[in-house]
Amino acid sequence: MTRFALTLEFDGTPFFGLQRQKDGPSVQQAVEEAAYRVLGEEVRLHSAGRTDTGVHALAMRSHFDIEKHIEPFRLMEALNAHLRPDPIAVTHCEVVADDWHSRFSCSGRAYVYRIANRRAPLTLEKDRLWQIPQDLDHEAMHRAAQALVGLHDFTTFRSVHCQAESPIKTLDRLDVERDGDEVRIHAAARSFLHHQVRSMVGCLALVGMGRWRETRLAEALQARDRQALGLNAPPHGLYFVRAVYPDDT
Amino acid sequence: MTRFALTLEFDGTPFFGLQRQKDGPSVQQAVEEAAYRVLGEEVRLHSAGRTDTGVHALAMRSHFDIEKHIEPFRLMEALNAHLRPDPIAVTHCEVVADDWHSRFSCSGRAYVYRIANRRAPLTLEKDRLWQIPQDLDHEAMHRAAQALVGLHDFTTFRSVHCQAESPIKTLDRLDVERDGDEVRIHAAARSFLHHQVRSMVGCLALVGMGRWRETRLAEALQARDRQALGLNAPPHGLYFVRAVYPDDT
């Protein structure tokens, strides 16, 4: 048995999320089926994150175990050939120790959320950003976001379907920056609750539009009540960008 | 009569180029038809460049004349509403002087050509870059490109269908830079010949792959012969990014 770590890039638009679902196509199913066609083995894909329907990944980290002997480069090439035409690419593949686990060994996760702050419809980047036509005050958003950084009970920003044992998490980073008509929100933590990033982004957008005063974000956090959530941002602006492991060099 | 200048962004994938064609959809036709639906007037769209089938634009400059009175902002909003679902957006609209001409007043044009220098298939940016799997030596490409900068006879880099009176042009800039696995080529000139950017990029790619030595680009230029062209790069990596006018502030 050899454990292979994969780095996956995918367009989440056609998938019911990363994790295998009964009711529709998933990234996990597509990769497992490609591996079966390459290797003739049933593999089980594990991943650092569990992205939702429509959420994208620039560098998801995943792994599976296989019996057959194959060079990592050949495995990557063969998986990419068999993944077509699904918009999933294996951008890196390597052999790792048997006790390395893409999910359980992961010590940090990072997302970026992209907002197109403009009135004109999107063309080249349709389905790649959340479009908000009203002018966003990104500086107010950044200031408000700092109330969420640190160790908190994030019940307000947690989906009712979240399976985590505890709503208490440490948010390491929540930065808002503007680049022309694009507003980007960078979030990093050891781990996130289900819908946490989209819920935080939705409320930050309300601050940016002036519909929430800056302090209301802290109040929503302190309420520890899903009813205090203002808005859940749509999935198509969200990208899983990085998984961190203690033994990364 | 009022002259309106438009800034257009479009995904060139579904169009037979910017200019109206007998045999398929064009950006010009889509904008003129949207204007007709908004205004009830037949307008004629003029543009700074004439991008080919599959070529994109981030900021094409165009104009048309209309009889009806309408505020620029309302015109932009109405055009965008009527352009759906075509991937064309009007990102700016203003009234200009009657003697301002998007094509004839234009004193500079800039393109960027995007190459995805990686083996893994493209996912989120499919149809947005030319994919070249072999490692490209972008520094050799940049050095070789400098032989084309300046006043030259660009016959080698000109389509047989080019309608320009003279093949002599001044190329102001041809820079090659790398950003991770993306290689970008920036080209700027007062004007370009038909297929000039794609022809220059194709030959630069041959240099980057090591199939052409650096000096061969200068030799191809001096040959003044289309037969000396190594490769014409595909359209989907090319973006019209800027038109410059003498009265721009």
Side-chain angles (χ1 to χ4, degrees):
Chain A
M1 186 219 85
T2 309
R3 181 158 291 185
F4 285 87
L6 308 176
T7 303
L8 300 179
E9 176 190 286
F10 57 83
D11 168 7
T13 312
F15 300 108
F16 282 50
L18 173 51
Q19 206 168 18
R20 199 179 260 272
Q21 301 290 335
K22 288 197 194 95
D23 50 352
S26 62
V27 174
Q28 183 185 349
Q29 182 184 348
V31 175
E32 290 175 353
E33 289 179 1
Y36 185 81
R37 289 194 292 275
V38 171
L39 304 161
E41 284 181 45
E42 304 255 354
V43 303
R44 169 107 191 269
L45 188 79
H46 300 265
S47 298
R50 299 182 176 187
T51 61
D52 278 329
T53 300
V55 174
H56 315 296
L58 298 183
M60 176 58 69
R61 296 293 295 277
S62 306
H63 78 274
F64 54 49
D65 297 332
I66 61 179
E67 296 296 331
K68 196 171 176 176
H69 178 75
I70 186 168
E71 290 300 317
F73 180 77
R74 290 186 62 88
L75 176 59
M76 177 171 72
E77 295 275 292
L79 286 172
N80 281 331
H82 285 275
L83 280 164
R84 291 176 197 268
D86 279 330
I88 303 171
V90 182
T91 59
H92 188 74
C93 177
E94 64 183 326
V95 172
V96 288
D98 293 358
D99 63 352
W100 186 92
H101 196 288
S102 55
R103 182 175 168 205
F104 299 121
S105 307
C106 181
S107 58
R109 285 141 175 113
Y111 287 88
V112 64
Y113 195 99
R114 299 178 64 196
I115 297 173
N117 190 204
R118 65 184 233 177
R119 294 194 64 83
L122 297 179
T123 65
L124 288 151
E125 298 205 289
K126 191 175 176 298
D127 294 331
R128 300 285 179 263
L129 301 88
W130 180 23
Q131 185 173 11
I132 299 181
Q134 303 98 303
D135 280 345
L136 292 176
D137 181 346
H138 64 282
E139 291 174 351
M141 292 166 70
H142 179 75
R143 285 192 302 268
Q146 302 323 303
L148 303 186
V149 174
L151 177 73
H152 299 290
D153 179 333
F154 284 96
T155 296
T156 303
F157 302 95
R158 174 190 197 182
S159 161
V160 292
H161 303 293
C162 183
Q163 294 169 0
E165 286 181 21
S166 162
I168 296 172
K169 294 283 179 189
T170 299
L171 180 63
D172 296 323
R173 180 187 184 200
L174 192 61
D175 289 334
V176 183
E177 63 172 23
R178 177 181 286 277
D179 177 10
D181 64 9
E182 182 172 337
V183 173
R184 280 187 217 106
I185 299 158
H186 301 272
R190 182 175 181 89
S191 62
F192 289 93
L193 298 166
H194 190 208
H195 281 191
Q196 186 182 344
V197 179
R198 290 167 53 194
S199 296
M200 296 189 300
V201 167
C203 294
L204 286 175
L206 293 174
V207 171
M209 293 178 215
R211 288 168 55 189
W212 271 25
R213 58 185 191 285
E214 290 178 33
T215 51
R216 183 135 171 218
L217 210 67
E219 291 161 22
L221 176 71
Q222 284 149 20
R224 291 175 220 170
D225 177 0
R226 186 70 177 164
Q227 300 299 316
L229 184 75
L231 186 63
N232 199 26
H236 61 275
L238 185 59
Y239 297 73
F240 184 98
V241 291
R242 195 167 50 255
V244 178
Y245 296 88
D247 52 353
D248 283 352
T249 48
Chain B
M1 186 217 89
T2 309
R3 181 158 290 185
F4 286 86
L6 308 176
T7 304
L8 301 178
E9 174 190 287
F10 57 83
D11 168 7
T13 313
F15 301 108
F16 282 51
L18 173 51
Q19 207 169 18
R20 199 179 260 274
Q21 302 289 338
K22 288 197 195 92
D23 48 354
S26 62
V27 174
Q28 183 186 348
Q29 182 183 346
V31 175
E32 290 175 354
E33 290 180 0
Y36 185 79
R37 289 194 292 275
V38 171
L39 303 160
E41 285 180 46
E42 304 256 355
V43 303
R44 170 106 192 269
L45 188 80
H46 300 267
S47 298
R50 298 183 177 187
T51 60
D52 278 329
T53 300
V55 174
H56 316 295
L58 298 183
M60 176 58 69
R61 295 293 294 277
S62 306
H63 79 274
F64 55 49
D65 297 332
I66 60 180
E67 295 296 332
K68 195 171 176 177
H69 178 75
I70 186 168
E71 290 299 316
F73 180 77
R74 290 186 63 88
L75 177 59
M76 177 171 71
E77 296 274 294
L79 286 172
N80 281 330
H82 286 276
L83 279 164
R84 293 175 195 267
D86 279 329
I88 304 171
V90 182
T91 59
H92 188 74
C93 178
E94 64 183 326
V95 173
V96 289
D98 293 357
D99 63 352
W100 185 92
H101 196 287
S102 55
R103 181 174 169 207
F104 299 121
S105 307
C106 181
S107 59
R109 284 141 176 112
Y111 287 88
V112 64
Y113 195 98
R114 299 177 64 195
I115 298 173
N117 190 204
R118 64 184 233 177
R119 295 193 65 82
L122 297 179
T123 65
L124 287 152
E125 297 204 289
K126 189 172 177 300
D127 294 331
R128 301 286 178 261
L129 300 89
W130 181 21
Q131 185 173 11
I132 299 181
Q134 304 99 304
D135 280 343
L136 293 176
D137 181 344
H138 64 282
E139 291 175 350
M141 293 167 70
H142 180 75
R143 286 191 300 269
Q146 303 322 304
L148 303 186
V149 174
L151 178 73
H152 300 290
D153 179 333
F154 284 96
T155 297
T156 303
F157 302 95
R158 174 189 198 181
S159 161
V160 292
H161 303 294
C162 183
Q163 293 169 2
E165 287 181 20
S166 163
I168 296 173
K169 294 284 179 190
T170 299
L171 180 64
D172 296 322
R173 181 188 183 198
L174 192 61
D175 288 334
V176 183
E177 63 172 22
R178 176 182 286 277
D179 177 9
D181 63 10
E182 181 171 340
V183 173
R184 279 187 217 104
I185 298 159
H186 301 272
R190 182 174 182 89
S191 62
F192 290 93
L193 299 166
H194 190 208
H195 281 190
Q196 186 182 343
V197 179
R198 289 167 53 193
S199 296
M200 296 189 302
V201 168
C203 294
L204 286 175
L206 293 174
V207 170
M209 292 178 213
R211 287 169 54 189
W212 271 25
R213 60 186 190 285
E214 290 178 34
T215 51
R216 182 131 171 223
L217 210 67
E219 291 162 21
L221 175 72
Q222 284 150 20
R224 291 175 220 170
D225 178 359
R226 186 70 178 164
Q227 300 298 317
L229 184 74
L231 187 64
N232 200 26
H236 62 273
L238 185 58
Y239 296 73
F240 184 98
V241 291
R242 194 166 50 255
V244 179
Y245 296 88
D247 51 354
D248 283 351
T249 48

